[in-house]
């Protein structure tokens, strides 16, 4: 007989712990009971405040779980109880953040985040009540556990309270916590949430205040902190400018990839692909970061300028870049005193191209290889004419090179690095042919040969050795780690071999790469060469690439082709590009190295495969040659999870690369996936339409013969595979002609209509109805008539009752989706449908009664009294109403508007056979 408040007081004062817990659980119900009286509501909230002082932690935790519900009630009834939440409930939440009991603190933290997410806390209350408490809890003299939890709450609530409050109240203390020397747990929490803070405060605050702290955290002496930095690297990169991303962040990330701790390296390699994707150029890739808080004024202007084309042509990714465009783009990046690296590759189609002042032509000379040239501009630009070297000078240089090679130590000649290295082939030059061609050349146009230097020039080799020495020096303090020792051994072998490799490449270049050329222009800041040919001599074509990255690892391991056919597949293109720092791309390409699986992560290849579409989009299709070998390696990986990852994303990669590259490089891999395990094939099948629609019609038609193979699976119980096939066939109808649909897709659809699993059959009925619609509206509608006759012969006249039931289901789908004009349906299918009223199986008659009563008679065509087919339908329904089976009579008699109709239809129609 007690009032709600009296009952609340009685149990709240009980010494029984469970009674007080029950009071906490029933607070919301009590508040609803007295919601009409403002005084009673205030009285209940006062009891809540008193209950919050309970000495038992379980009671306080139980109370805190109810606070979000109470706050929602107060918000809904705000006119009657204004300021109830901020006055009574919020102080409890804030006080519990510093509670001595861990469970109470955790519950209050969860409640606070829910209240902020639901926007139940006013901004003024956040500034006046919550932030001051959190700042006090993160003070240097605060409890360690409480400090760690408070930092985590500050980071999580930053995105909810907005940039202004975060920058004014949270950011200064966050920066202090990043430098907490006593508690590495605090630094680890800061590192884990660094990306979220950066995305909230924007680019200016990130670069001025947060980036220096991030650099410190990335070099922290605790590996867990460095690992957290590696995991959030992409989010931090998104909040910085392109210049900082390319210079400081790239170098920082390389350090994390080379970290002594295996766990840090593992996290870094997992984040490598996402980090590379932040270098995407919006104008070429069609993507950019839409975080307004992270853009400067210049970024906003640039985004506005490219927003229209990037949105309108989002599907049109990077176009092929011509040779001249690449040379023009790279010209601005080369200073007067820098080294220009360019590739001279012989072309078969340069005869028709006009000579220009920017290119020097080389005529009537047979060169059987590709020469990479690195020339210091200060030596070549000063004079208008190239130096004329005498034959004696040529001979002396060769002898000098041979003498240098003879001085190589025995250790350098026989080390493990060279033992497994693919040897550079020696190519014989046809001296007689060269002599004949040289005599045929006019004496006025003849110039003295100048030899080009190899990629392993002394300057570049010196830079490579310096990088190797620095890496070895950084790893030596951690030599006790077996993984680190293995890295040191490899780097030492590479260092010992670098000088020998330099000399070998130099000798090969001097002996095999003499090029006769005109003394035309060496422009300041760029050297560009085009090589011409005599019509009688077959030469290889490729583009000139002039690129220089801020961070660069130079790999001089490209093999020269010795095949007489000189097919493009046998030539290994340079993997140098200018979109992302070369060091990052080299590390990404190394993720397929088997040694990485042993020293970093056994699933590193899977992470590489997962991010390869993003990396390809960032580099653009004109740099696909950098990723082609890596993609082929991943496609042939022994782990089916790696191949499965590629199979699920191959359609996205095809969209990025375009028609020609897809046909050349992706189709062979796609064909291999079609014959792989079911776990891999399902990835191809789920996006079969997305991939095939990107192909040319002739290529697309070749796959009609292979669709039948999807009906065969490793496990016959894998019915979802067949269901997905039916779904994809519905989409594929728009890609093929009516004749192809009838000849190739229809047999598959009819097979799926007889599947053992009802879910597969239901999708197949939809598929057949869409086929009828497609064929009927085709230029030759006779195929639709043939299809309907086939349905009658195969299903309506089937000796099995399940086949006859399938015919009714297909007719039902045709009527519901309006796949045929009703007069055509009544002429070709309805007579056969009505014959099933005398079927000996009750299930067939039940479905027929439902179809006629619920679907057919709802169409306007059968409601008109002048319709000649209405009488036949009504006679059939009358016959079904007199059926001896009660279910048949029920569905034939029930009114279509009955509320029970839907449930009954579902229970019967979904039955399996």
């Amino acid at each position: 007989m007690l009032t709600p408040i009296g009952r609340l007081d009685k149990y709240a004062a009980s010494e029984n712990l469970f009674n007080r817990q029950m009071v906490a659980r029933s607070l919301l119900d009590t508040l609803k009971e007295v919601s009409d009286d403002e005084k009673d509501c205030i009285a209940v909230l006062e009891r809540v405040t008193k209950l919050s002082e309970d000495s038992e932690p379980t009671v306080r935790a139980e109370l805190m779980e109810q606070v979000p519900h109470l706050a929602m009630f107060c918000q809904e009834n705000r006119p009657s109880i204004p300021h109830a939440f901020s006055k009574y409930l919020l102080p409890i939440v804030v006080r519990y953040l510093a509670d001595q009991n861990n469970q109470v603190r955790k519950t209050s933290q969860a409640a606070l985040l829910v209240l902020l997410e639901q926007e139940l806390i006013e901004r003024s209350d956040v500034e006046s009540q919550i932030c001051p408490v959190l700042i006090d809890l993160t003070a240097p003299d605060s409890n360690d556990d409480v400090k760690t939890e408070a930092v985590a709450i500050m980071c999580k609530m930053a995105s909810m309270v907005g940039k202004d409050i975060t920058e004014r109240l949270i950011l200064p203390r966050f920066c202090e916590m990043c430098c907490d020397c006593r508690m590495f747990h605090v630094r680890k929490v800061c590192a884990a949430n660094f990306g979220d803070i950066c995305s909230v405060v924007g680019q200016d605050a990130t670069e001025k205040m947060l980036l220096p702290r991030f650099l410190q955290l990335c070099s922290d002496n605790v590996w867990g902190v460095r690992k957290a930095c590696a995991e959030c690297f992409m989010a931090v990169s998104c909040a910085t400018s392109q210049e900082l991303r390319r210079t400081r962040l790239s170098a920082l990330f390389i350090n994390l990839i080379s970290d002594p701790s295996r766990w840090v390296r593992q996290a870094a390699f997992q984040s490598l692909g996402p980090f590379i994707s932040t270098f995407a150029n919006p104008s070429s890739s069609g993507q950019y970061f839409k975080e307004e808080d992270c853009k400067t004024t210049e970024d906003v202007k640039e985004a506005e300028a490219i927003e229209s084309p990037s949105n309108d042509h989002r599907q049109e990714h990077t176009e092929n870049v011509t040779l001249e465009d690449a040379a023009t783009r790279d010209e601005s990046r080369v200073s007067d005193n820098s080294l220009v690296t360019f590739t001279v590759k012989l072309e078969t189609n340069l005869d028709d191209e006009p000579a220009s002042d920017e290119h020097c032509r080389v005529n009537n000379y047979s060169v059987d290889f590709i020469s990479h040239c690195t020339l210091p501009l200060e030596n070549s630009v000063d004079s208008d004419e190239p130096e004329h070297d005498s034959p004696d000078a040529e001979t002396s240089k060769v002898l000098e090179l041979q003498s240098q090679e003879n001085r190589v130590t025995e250790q350098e000649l026989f080390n493990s690095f060279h033992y497994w290295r693919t040897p550079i082939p020696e190519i014989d030059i046809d001296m007689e042919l060269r002599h004949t061609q040289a005599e045929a050349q006019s004496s006025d146009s003849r110039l003295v040969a100048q030899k080009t230097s190899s990629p392993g020039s002394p300057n570049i080799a010196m830079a490579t050795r310096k990088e190797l020495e620095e890496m070895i020096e950084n790893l030596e303090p951690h030599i006790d780690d077996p993984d680190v020792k293995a890295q040191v051994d490899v780097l030492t072998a590479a260092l010992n071999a670098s000088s020998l490799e330099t000399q070998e490449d130099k000798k090969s270049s001097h002996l095999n790469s003499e090029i006769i050329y005109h003394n035309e222009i060496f422009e300041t800041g760029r050297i560009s060469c085009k090589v011409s040919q005599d019509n009688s001599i077959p030469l290889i074509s490729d583009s000139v690439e002039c690129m220089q990255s801020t961070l660069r690892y130079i790999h001089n391991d490209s093999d020269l082709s010795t095949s007489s056919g000189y097919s493009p597949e046998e030539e290994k293109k340079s993997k140098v590009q200018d979109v992302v720092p070369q060091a990052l791309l080299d590390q990404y390409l190394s993720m397929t190295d088997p040694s990485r699986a042993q020293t970093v992560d056994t699933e590193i290849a899977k992470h590489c495969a997962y991010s390869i579409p993003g990396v390809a989009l960032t580099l653009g299709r004109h740099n696909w040659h950098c990723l082609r070998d890596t993609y082929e390696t991943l496609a042939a990986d022994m782990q089916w999870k790696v191949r499965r990852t590629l199979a699920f994303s191959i359609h996205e990669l095809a969209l990025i690369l375009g028609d020609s590259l897809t046909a050349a490089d992706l189709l062979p891999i796609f064909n291999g996936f079609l014959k792989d395990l079911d776990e891999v094939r399902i990835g191809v099948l789920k996006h079969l339409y997305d991939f095939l629609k990107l192909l040319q019609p002739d290529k697309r038609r070749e796959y009609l013969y292979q669709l039948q193979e999807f009906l065969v699976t490793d496990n016959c119980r894998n019915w979802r595979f067949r269901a997905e096939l039916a779904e994809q066939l519905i989409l594929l109808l728009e890609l093929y002609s009516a004749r192809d649909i009838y000849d190739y897709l229809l047999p598959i659809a009819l097979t799926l209509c007889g599947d053992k699993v009802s879910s597969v059959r239901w999708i197949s009925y939809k598929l057949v109805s869409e086929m009828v619609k497609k064929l009927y509206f085709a230029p030759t509608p006779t195929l639709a008539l043939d299809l309907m006759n086939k349905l009658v012969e195969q299903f309506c006249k089937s000796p099995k009752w399940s086949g006859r039931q399938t015919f009714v289901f297909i007719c039902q789908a045709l009527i519901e989706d309006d796949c045929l004009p009703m007069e055509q349906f009544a002429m070709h299918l309805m007579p056969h449908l009505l014959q099933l009223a005398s079927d000996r199986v009750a299930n067939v008659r039940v479905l027929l009664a439902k179809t006629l009563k619920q679907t057919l008679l709802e169409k306007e065509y059968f409601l008109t009294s002048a319709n000649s087919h209405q009488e036949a339908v009504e006679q059939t329904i009358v016959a079904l109403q007199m059926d001896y089976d009660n279910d048949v009579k029920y569905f034939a008699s029930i009114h279509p508007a009955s509320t029970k109709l839907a449930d009954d239809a579902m229970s019967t129609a979904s039955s399996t056979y």
Side-chain angles (χ1 to χ4, degrees):
M1 301 300 293
L2 294 174
T3 62
I5 295 180
R7 187 169 60 252
L8 189 66
D9 290 336
K10 176 182 178 181
Y11 290 105
S14 173
E15 295 182 358
N16 191 324
L17 170 64
F18 299 103
N19 288 340
R20 301 201 301 277
Q21 286 181 332
M22 183 189 68
V23 169
R25 296 191 191 101
S26 61
L27 282 173
L28 182 59
D29 295 333
T30 304
L31 199 57
K32 290 180 179 179
E33 291 182 27
V34 300
S35 59
D36 296 334
D37 191 339
E38 180 180 350
K39 292 183 179 180
D40 289 344
C41 289
I42 299 299
V44 172
L45 293 175
E46 290 175 350
R47 268 67 173 183
V48 171
T49 303
K50 183 178 180 180
L51 188 64
S52 67
E53 300 173 356
D54 195 288
S55 59
E56 183 59 42
T58 55
V59 177
R60 301 199 301 273
E62 191 70 47
L63 173 63
M64 188 49 56
E65 290 182 359
Q66 303 300 320
V67 166
H69 305 289
L70 298 175
M72 186 68 70
F73 179 82
C74 294
Q75 182 72 15
E76 295 172 354
N77 297 271
R78 188 162 185 161
S80 59
I81 44 176
H83 309 296
F85 172 73
S86 60
K87 184 177 180 180
Y88 295 101
L89 298 179
L90 186 57
I92 302 175
V93 177
V94 173
R95 187 170 73 250
Y96 280 5
L97 290 174
D99 197 275
Q100 297 298 320
N101 185 269
N102 183 54
Q103 181 184 2
V104 176
R105 289 200 311 273
K106 295 291 186 183
T107 310
S108 64
Q109 293 163 11
L112 177 60
L113 294 177
V114 171
L115 295 172
L116 289 171
E117 185 179 2
Q118 299 295 328
E119 299 181 353
L120 298 175
I121 305 179
E122 299 288 341
R123 292 181 63 86
S124 57
D125 292 333
V126 173
E127 294 188 31
S128 61
Q129 296 193 49
I130 298 178
C131 288
V133 173
L134 292 177
I135 292 175
D136 291 340
L137 293 177
T138 54
D141 57 347
S142 179
N143 180 273
D144 293 341
D145 294 337
V146 175
K147 183 191 296 186
T148 304
E149 295 169 358
V151 172
I153 289 295
M154 290 171 61
C155 297
K156 292 177 181 178
M157 65 182 284
S159 60
M160 303 177 190
V161 300
K163 177 180 179 181
D164 180 54
I165 294 178
T166 301
E167 200 166 350
R168 286 190 295 107
L169 303 177
I170 297 178
L171 185 58
R173 180 50 59 92
F174 178 81
C175 293
E176 294 178 13
M177 294 297 98
C178 291
C179 303
D180 191 309
C181 300
R182 190 168 60 91
M183 284 290 296
F184 81 91
H185 297 287
V186 175
R187 301 196 304 275
K188 184 177 180 180
V189 172
C190 292
N193 296 275
F194 212 95
D196 298 333
I197 298 294
C198 291
S199 62
V200 172
V201 300
Q203 181 174 319
D204 291 339
T206 297
E207 295 180 354
K208 292 179 182 178
M209 301 183 64
L210 291 175
L211 200 55
R213 305 295 188 277
F214 190 67
L215 297 176
Q216 296 176 5
L217 292 175
C218 286
S219 58
D220 197 277
N221 57 357
V222 178
W223 67 265
V225 178
R226 303 195 301 274
K227 178 176 179 291
C229 291
E231 291 171 347
C232 71
F233 215 94
M234 176 186 176
V236 177
S237 177
C238 293
T240 59
S241 64
Q242 186 71 255
E243 181 181 358
L244 282 176
R245 191 177 300 146
R246 182 174 290 275
T247 55
R248 302 181 67 181
L249 290 185
S250 298
L252 195 62
F253 197 86
I254 292 297
N255 292 336
L256 292 176
I257 285 183
S258 306
D259 196 272
S261 172
R262 177 170 182 166
W263 305 110
V264 178
R265 298 196 303 271
Q266 179 176 328
F269 273 108
Q270 291 182 19
S271 301
L272 178 55
F275 177 49
I276 290 177
S277 68
T278 62
F279 289 87
N281 183 5
S283 61
S284 61
S285 66
Q287 70 172 9
Y288 63 97
F289 301 104
K290 294 185 178 179
E291 300 174 9
E292 285 76 14
D293 293 341
C294 297
K295 294 180 180 179
T296 61
T297 305
E298 293 78 4
D299 294 333
V300 173
K301 290 180 180 178
E302 181 182 354
E304 291 176 352
I306 67 174
E307 184 175 5
S308 177
S310 65
N311 289 338
D312 295 341
H313 308 285
R314 186 62 56 96
Q315 302 301 327
E316 300 179 7
H317 294 283
T318 314
E319 297 295 336
N320 291 329
V321 179
T322 62
L323 173 62
E324 289 76 15
D325 293 337
T328 304
R329 181 178 68 250
D330 296 324
E331 181 178 1
S332 60
R333 293 183 174 87
V334 181
S335 60
D336 293 339
N337 295 324
S338 61
L339 289 176
V340 180
T341 302
F342 63 96
T343 305
V344 179
K345 296 189 179 181
L346 305 181
E347 298 183 309
T348 60
N349 57 349
L350 289 179
D351 292 334
D352 298 331
E353 294 183 10
S356 64
D357 293 340
E358 297 180 354
H359 300 85
C360 53
R361 285 247 179 194
V362 182
N363 293 312
N364 299 322
Y365 188 62
S366 174
V367 183
D368 297 337
F369 62 94
I370 300 169
S371 176
H372 296 268
C373 305
T374 304
L375 301 178
L377 290 185
E378 62 268 23
N379 295 334
S380 58
V381 180
D382 293 340
S383 60
D384 294 334
E385 295 183 0
E387 297 180 3
H388 292 255
D389 294 339
S390 63
D392 294 338
E394 297 287 340
T395 305
S396 63
K397 289 183 179 179
V398 173
L399 294 176
E400 181 182 355
L401 178 62
Q402 292 176 344
S403 63
Q404 291 178 358
E405 188 178 46
N406 293 333
R407 291 195 295 269
V408 178
T409 63
E410 182 178 353
Q411 179 180 1
E412 292 175 333
L413 284 172
F414 302 100
N415 58 61
S416 59
F417 181 81
H418 267 287
Y419 184 80
W420 294 107
R421 180 180 184 278
T422 303
I424 296 178
E426 294 185 1
I427 303 174
D428 296 332
I429 297 179
D430 192 337
M431 302 300 294
E432 182 178 357
L433 177 61
R434 187 186 68 174
H435 181 70
T436 303
Q437 292 175 345
E439 289 180 350
Q441 185 67 274
S442 170
S443 58
D444 296 336
S445 62
R446 185 177 305 168
L447 289 178
V448 181
Q450 176 176 335
K451 294 170 289 185
T452 60
S453 61
S454 69
S457 65
N459 292 335
I460 295 181
M462 186 178 301
T464 306
R465 289 194 294 271
K466 183 177 180 181
E467 292 173 356
L468 292 174
E469 291 172 355
E470 291 179 355
M471 294 179 66
I472 294 174
E473 183 178 354
N474 293 334
L475 293 176
E476 282 181 351
H478 310 279
I479 197 68
D480 295 336
D481 191 337
D483 295 334
V484 177
K485 188 175 185 305
Q487 289 187 10
V488 172
D489 294 340
V490 173
L491 293 175
T492 304
L495 181 61
N496 294 334
S498 60
S499 59
L500 178 60
E501 182 179 347
T502 297
Q503 294 170 358
E504 285 181 349
D505 292 342
K506 184 175 180 181
K507 177 184 177 182
S508 176
S509 175
H510 274 279
L511 292 178
N512 300 324
S513 62
E514 291 186 343
I515 300 178
I516 302 177
Y517 61 92
H518 288 292
N519 55 345
E520 291 298 327
I521 304 300
F522 280 84
E523 288 188 352
T524 301
R526 182 183 65 177
I527 297 176
S528 180
C529 292
K530 273 194 176 180
V531 182
S532 66
Q533 57 151 12
D534 190 77
N535 292 335
S536 61
I537 304 173
L539 300 175
I540 303 302
S541 65
D542 208 330
S543 59
V544 176
E545 299 178 357
C546 297
M547 303 177 183
Q548 185 171 12
S549 302
T550 305
L551 294 173
R552 185 170 177 180
Y553 278 18
I554 301 169
H555 295 281
N556 299 322
D557 57 353
S558 57
D559 296 334
L560 302 178
S561 175
T562 58
S563 172
S564 59
Y566 300 103
S567 61
E569 291 79 9
E570 295 174 350
E571 295 186 0
K572 189 174 182 181
K573 292 187 176 181
S574 172
K575 291 181 172 54
V576 179
Q577 43 70 51
D578 64 344
V579 180
V580 301
Q582 189 64 33
L584 293 178
L585 182 61
D586 291 341
Q587 292 290 347
Y588 179 80
L589 299 179
S590 71
M591 292 175 72
T592 58
D593 192 337
S595 63
R596 294 290 192 192
Q598 300 177 1
T599 59
V600 181
D601 185 6
T602 55
E603 294 191 349
I604 189 172
K606 180 181 177 183
H607 299 304
C608 179
Y610 181 81
S611 57
I612 202 166
V615 176
L617 179 61
T618 301
L619 295 178
R621 65 179 63 167
H622 59 285
N623 286 319
W624 167 242
H625 60 273
C626 298
L627 296 175
R628 182 188 294 110
D629 294 340
T630 299
Y631 192 80
E632 293 175 353
T633 302
L634 292 171
D637 197 277
M638 294 297 294
Q639 301 183 67
W640 64 265
K641 292 182 179 180
V642 177
R643 304 194 303 275
R644 173 186 169 93
T645 303
L646 293 180
F648 270 94
S649 63
I650 192 171
H651 66 288
E652 296 288 355
L653 195 59
L655 185 63
I656 296 169
L657 298 182
D659 296 342
S660 58
L661 290 176
T662 296
D665 298 329
L666 296 189
L667 277 184
I669 295 175
F670 182 83
N671 296 335
F673 288 160
L674 292 178
K675 302 174 183 178
D676 212 314
L677 301 176
D678 284 353
E679 289 81 0
V680 179
R681 295 170 69 204
I682 188 63
V684 173
L685 181 59
K686 276 185 174 293
H687 302 285
L688 186 62
Y689 166 77
D690 297 324
F691 184 83
L692 293 182
K693 74 177 181 180
L694 301 174
L695 302 180
Q696 295 295 335
D698 55 337
K699 291 288 185 181
R700 184 189 307 148
R701 196 171 183 276
E702 295 177 2
Y703 289 93
L704 284 170
Y705 308 94
Q706 304 183 42
L707 294 177
Q708 190 82 21
E709 299 176 2
F710 282 110
L711 292 174
V712 181
T713 57
D714 299 337
N715 184 1
C716 61
R717 296 182 179 179
N718 188 8
W719 62 268
R720 290 181 177 85
F721 198 92
R722 301 189 297 276
E724 187 62 42
L725 174 60
E727 294 277 9
Q728 288 297 314
L729 289 179
I730 295 176
L731 299 175
L732 290 176
L733 294 179
E734 69 177 64
L735 300 181
Y736 294 104
S737 64
R739 171 55 64 181
D740 287 339
I741 292 174
Y742 185 84
D743 291 341
Y744 298 101
L745 303 187
L746 180 59
I748 302 176
L750 297 181
T751 302
L752 293 174
C753 285
D755 198 88
K756 295 181 180 180
V757 180
S758 62
S759 296
V760 179
R761 296 196 303 271
W762 275 106
I763 304 173
S764 303
Y765 303 151
K766 170 74 173 176
L767 171 60
V768 172
S769 65
E770 291 294 330
M771 284 184 174
V772 173
K773 184 177 181 178
K774 173 86 174 181
L775 297 182
Y776 179 78
F777 291 102
T780 55
T782 54
L783 292 176
L785 183 60
D786 294 340
L787 172 55
M788 288 185 282
N789 292 334
K790 183 171 290 190
L791 293 177
V792 172
E793 292 296 328
Q794 183 165 343
F795 294 116
C796 184
K797 298 181 180 181
S798 173
K800 294 184 178 181
W801 72 271
S802 58
R804 300 191 296 274
Q805 188 186 51
T806 296
F807 180 78
V808 181
F809 273 124
I810 294 175
C811 291
Q812 187 183 49
L814 289 171
I815 299 170
E816 289 178 346
D817 298 337
D818 293 325
C819 298
L820 279 175
M822 283 298 102
E823 57 270 17
Q824 295 294 325
F825 177 84
M827 183 184 304
H828 299 292
L829 293 177
M830 197 174 73
H832 304 284
L833 181 65
L834 298 181
Q835 289 178 1
L836 296 177
S838 59
D839 195 276
R840 63 181 181 273
V841 178
N843 281 25
V844 177
R845 302 196 304 274
V846 167
L847 183 58
L848 176 63
K850 290 190 333 182
T851 301
L852 296 178
K853 196 72 175 177
Q854 303 169 18
T855 307
L856 191 67
L857 291 181
E858 290 295 303
K859 297 298 178 180
E860 184 179 358
Y861 179 81
F862 293 98
L863 296 177
T864 58
S865 58
N867 192 292
S868 59
H869 302 283
Q870 185 181 19
E871 182 178 355
V873 175
E874 291 179 350
Q875 290 178 357
T876 303
I877 291 178
V878 170
L880 293 174
Q881 290 174 349
M882 300 173 61
D883 196 277
Y884 63 87
D885 188 271
N886 291 330
D887 290 333
V888 177
K889 289 191 292 185
Y890 172 77
F891 283 104
S893 305
I894 193 171
H895 192 273
S898 174
T899 56
K900 193 179 179 182
L901 179 63
D903 297 336
D904 292 335
M906 181 62 67
S907 64
T908 306
S910 62
S911 60
T912 59
Y913 49 81

